[in-house]
Amino acid sequence: MTAVNTLKDKKTFNVALVGATGAVGEEMLKILEERNFPIKTLKLLASARSKGKKYSFRGQSHGVEELTEQSFKGIDIVLSSAGGSISKKFMPAAVREGAVVIDNTSAYRMDPEVPLVVPEINPEDIFKHKGIIANPNCSTIIMLVPLFPIYRKAGIKSVKVATYQSVSGAGAKAMHELERQSREFLDGKPVTREILPHQIAFNLFSHNSQVKENGYNEEENKMANETRKIFHDEDIRVAATCVRVPIYRAHSEAIYAELKKPLKVSEARELLSKADGVKLVDDRDKNYFPMPIEASGKDDILVGRLREDISADNSLALFVSGDQLRKGAALNAIQIAERLIR
Amino acid sequence: MTAVNTLKDKKTFNVALVGATGAVGEEMLKILEERNFPIKTLKLLASARSKGKKYSFRGQSHGVEELTEQSFKGIDIVLSSAGGSISKKFMPAAVREGAVVIDNTSAYRMDPEVPLVVPEINPEDIFKHKGIIANPNCSTIIMLVPLFPIYRKAGIKSVKVATYQSVSGAGAKAMHELERQSREFLDGKPVTREILPHQIAFNLFSHNSQVKENGYNEEENKMANETRKIFHDEDIRVAATCVRVPIYRAHSEAIYAELKKPLKVSEARELLSKADGVKLVDDRDKNYFPMPIEASGKDDILVGRLREDISADNSLALFVSGDQLRKGAALNAIQIAERLIR
């Protein structure tokens, strides 16, 4: 028996949020309320030190409970965003209890038994799950939603991307660090570091994930590997340069895509103007293109700077900004849940 | 008679700084002093509203004079950084007076009669001048100095680059704007705009130069066109995405280069470790790579993140940070002057 059968017969659901007090967890709570997700009961789970913390949901106060293996009795859907090691440790228990887990960590993304889903791209994969569905990495989602209409129409051989990633991807504490360091810098005080490996205020640095043997860091390898899995395309080649910039919460990406078949810029613009999950912001006369402050808090990924890649034949260049906490994380997970119960 | 003949016979020089009160002009003054440039007399020139402003140079106070067509009598070398229209208007007068102009604006860069020089790359072009030598755009210099050793060894067919450009490129006023907006934002006040077209504090935006018919803005087209001229290579294809980030004074660039001949990452690292004008900062274990705060105030361009471009055959990826006001502008111009008088 797979858990999906259980969900089909229900109209409202017992939902557990794992990592409820994190930046993504708090965003999930907001989005569940905004989208009126059919919740019967809501359980907020986090580590022991957050126990008792209160959140308001639909006008009612919900206290945070400590996450244990016994937390999942009667739960239908788990939205997990507490980090890979927490998911590895606790999600098997959730699955044993019959819940479907939508996991927003890297723990299961590349597991061949686990679907990796962006609802605008491969919704059909949702129903192949065996208890766990993985939510892709934020930078991957923000790149692929705008690339997918182009991919479907013209095919894509290879992608080169350079990211401008906000500190929200490193969690709420990193957002506070940007604020504290910025004040310190402006006040002429020594800049202190607690969370991030280098000063982020008025600086940038190569993404703070481990650099692997191929010279790419984990974030960059995720973008390459997850793209192949989501597109079901073992041939697409992705090279990423992931960089943290002093911005609070939306990621931007400069993308160069080498196509299989010719596609005019005007055709790409037309495709993107109608595509789900993206908003075209591409006014050359006004020099008005995607910006992270305008992408923040939005569901759509902003896409613009559409032009031929003049360094190569049959290639396009574009620039995107998307809210890392929403479509890059919480929203995508909840959209998966919505499809699951539809 | 070309002006270079006159310069050869002299040991010290009458130097004029045009745009002395700008961010680049002030940096020039510092570098002329640091490098002990053989100055006989120094004239600081700017618009009427800066007249009388004082600068200290080698312990002596120098007042700013108003720039006119009569400013250049007896001047040997003009270092001009007051903007393209000022150069167009006044530099012909300087040349008529027998001065050699090293022009740090876009006015003459693509003029076939004017050499465009990065001393580490094409110093021989300096001596082809007819009175004016052009200093390339900052983003071009910062990209080409680290690419040149690779270009010379293996050839480069094409380059894709995404920039992370500091506000210093838009002048001292833009630097003040970043500071003011950052304070406003942190204090919860409305963010005010005076110089830049969009909020720069905790934001980024596509470079604020006009977007041309090919979809690339002026800054991006400069990188493509100037690369061909400096390398004397009409076939090299460059696609750039130029972006302003909330950083004060060094530019960073994520670069993907398609080579003509195979070159191992280890060979590229070896070449760059010995190259003039660059410093290798490429520690994968410590996740320590070029950062703008470390490039600021330095003569060398920091280069790191050296790796294969896994999206293409025979291609390399790298990341660089360079001080836009020094090697990207003032230092490069003064290095040209040093070669000229050597």
Side-chain angles (χ1 to χ4, degrees), chain A residues 160-161 163-164 183 186 203 206 209 215-216 220 237 239-241 256 287 293 305 307-309 311 313, chain B residues 160-161 163-164 183 186 203 206 209 215-216 220 237 239-241 256 287 293 305 307-311:
Chain A
K160 295 183 216 296
V161 58
T163 72
Y164 304 70
R183 286 186 198 278
L186 291 168
N203 192 30
S206 183
S209 55
Y216 289 79
E220 293 163 351
R237 296 171 78 177
T241 303
Y256 296 98
N287 216 325
I293 47 166
R305 298 296 329 268
R307 61 209 196 279
E308 266 185 68
D309 173 354
S311 75
D313 297 332
Chain B
K160 296 183 215 294
V161 57
T163 72
Y164 304 71
R183 286 185 197 279
L186 291 169
N203 191 30
S206 183
S209 55
Y216 289 78
E220 293 163 351
R237 296 171 79 178
T241 304
Y256 296 98
N287 216 325
I293 48 166
R305 298 293 333 265
R307 61 210 195 278
E308 266 185 66
D309 173 354
I310 53 174
S311 76

Side-chain angles (χ1 to χ4, degrees), chain B residues 6-8 10-15 37-42 76-77 341:
Chain B
T6 326
L7 293 184
K8 258 192 187 162
K10 297 187 176 178
K11 290 235 159 53
T12 58
F13 303 87
N14 298 320
V15 174
F37 194 87
I39 287 177
K40 192 171 169 190
T41 68
L42 179 67
D76 299 307
I77 298 169
I341 63 168

Side-chain angles (χ1 to χ4, degrees), chain B residues 27-220:
Chain B
E27 200 65 28
M28 289 214 182
L29 203 61
K30 245 193 272 182
I31 296 173
L32 286 170
E33 183 159 331
E34 278 173 24
R35 296 173 76 94
N36 206 19
F37 194 87
I39 287 177
K40 192 171 169 190
T41 68
L42 179 67
K43 204 167 194 175
L44 304 183
L45 298 166
S47 66
R49 68 173 186 286
S50 294
K51 203 177 149 181
K53 202 170 166 185
K54 303 270 185 218
Y55 286 90
S56 165
F57 182 73
R58 293 184 187 159
Q60 289 199 314
S61 177
H62 286 68
V64 174
E65 298 172 44
E66 183 181 350
L67 170 66
T68 71
E69 294 203 352
Q70 282 70 53
S71 298
F72 303 104
K73 208 167 283 284
I75 293 293
D76 299 307
I77 298 169
V78 177
L79 297 164
S80 178
S81 61
S85 57
I86 301 293
S87 282
K88 280 275 185 205
K89 188 170 173 199
F90 292 100
M91 292 313 111
V95 174
R96 278 197 303 275
E97 292 286 352
V100 181
V101 174
I102 300 167
D103 189 50
N104 194 37
T105 76
S106 61
Y108 297 102
R109 284 181 190 143
M110 295 311 294
D111 184 332
E113 300 279 290
V114 173
L116 183 66
V117 177
V118 180
E120 289 86 348
I121 301 173
N122 59 335
E124 65 284 359
D125 287 344
I126 291 172
F127 303 97
K128 297 173 190 158
H129 79 82
K130 295 175 178 175
I132 300 177
I133 301 162
N135 203 47
N137 178 49
C138 49
S139 309
T140 311
I141 297 174
I142 290 165
M143 174 171 78
L144 294 190
V145 173
L147 278 185
F148 184 61
I150 296 167
Y151 179 83
R152 196 167 40 183
K153 181 78 177 182
I156 295 178
K157 276 192 217 173
S158 69
V159 177
K160 296 183 215 294
V161 57
T163 72
Y164 304 71
Q165 294 183 234
S166 63
V167 292
S168 62
K173 284 179 183 169
M175 295 169 81
H176 295 140
E177 180 136 313
L178 171 59
E179 183 179 346
R180 190 192 67 248
Q181 288 186 350
S182 298
R183 286 185 197 279
E184 288 167 346
F185 184 92
L186 291 169
D187 293 345
K189 293 178 185 161
V191 169
T192 58
R193 279 193 297 106
E194 287 173 14
I195 304 297
L196 295 166
H198 305 288
Q199 176 182 325
I200 186 64
F202 307 106
N203 191 30
L204 56 77
F205 51 81
S206 183
H207 191 275
N208 48 305
S209 55
Q210 203 189 357
V211 180
K212 299 294 185 183
E213 208 164 333
N214 66 355
Y216 289 78
N217 60 45
E218 282 175 348
E219 184 83 355
E220 293 163 351

Side-chain angles (χ1 to χ4, degrees), chain A residues 109-289:
Chain A
R109 284 180 191 145
M110 295 312 294
D111 184 331
E113 300 278 289
V114 173
L116 183 66
V117 177
V118 180
E120 289 86 347
I121 301 173
N122 59 335
E124 65 285 357
D125 288 342
I126 291 172
F127 303 98
K128 297 173 190 159
H129 79 83
K130 295 175 179 174
I132 300 176
I133 301 162
N135 204 47
N137 178 49
C138 49
S139 308
T140 311
I141 297 174
I142 290 165
M143 174 171 79
L144 293 190
V145 173
L147 278 186
F148 184 62
I150 295 166
Y151 179 83
R152 196 166 41 183
K153 180 79 177 182
I156 295 178
K157 276 192 219 175
S158 70
V159 177
K160 295 183 216 296
V161 58
T163 72
Y164 304 70
Q165 294 184 230
S166 63
V167 291
S168 62
K173 284 180 184 168
M175 295 170 81
H176 295 140
E177 180 136 312
L178 171 58
E179 183 179 344
R180 190 193 67 246
Q181 288 186 350
S182 298
R183 286 186 198 278
E184 288 167 345
F185 184 93
L186 291 168
D187 293 345
K189 294 180 186 161
V191 169
T192 58
R193 280 192 296 107
E194 287 174 14
I195 303 299
L196 295 166
H198 305 288
Q199 176 182 325
I200 186 64
F202 307 106
N203 192 30
L204 55 77
F205 52 81
S206 183
H207 190 276
N208 49 305
S209 55
Q210 204 189 356
V211 180
K212 298 295 186 181
E213 207 163 335
N214 67 355
Y216 289 79
N217 60 44
E218 281 175 349
E219 184 84 354
E220 293 163 351
N221 281 314
K222 284 176 190 173
M223 291 183 81
N225 298 333
E226 294 178 15
T227 295
R228 284 193 291 273
K229 180 164 178 177
I230 295 164
F231 280 175
H232 295 279
D233 180 348
E234 281 307 306
D235 297 325
I236 188 168
R237 296 171 78 177
V238 177
T241 303
C242 290
V243 177
R244 285 242 186 261
V245 293
I247 285 174
Y248 282 102
R249 66 175 276 170
H251 290 359
S252 303
E253 303 181 8
I255 301 170
Y256 296 98
E258 181 193 12
L259 309 182
K260 288 184 178 167
K261 288 185 281 185
L263 185 74
K264 285 184 195 153
V265 171
S266 57
E267 291 175 289
R269 187 173 284 117
E270 177 71 14
L271 284 171
L272 287 167
S273 69
K274 294 174 184 165
D276 280 347
V278 302
K279 186 184 170 199
L280 201 61
V281 179
D282 197 31
D283 189 332
R284 292 180 179 185
D285 292 338
K286 292 190 177 148
N287 216 325
Y288 176 56
F289 301 109

Side-chain angles (χ1 to χ4, degrees), chain B residues 229-244:
Chain B
K229 181 165 177 175
I230 295 163
F231 280 175
H232 296 280
D233 181 347
E234 281 307 305
D235 297 325
I236 188 169
R237 296 171 79 178
V238 176
T241 304
C242 290
V243 177
R244 284 243 188 261

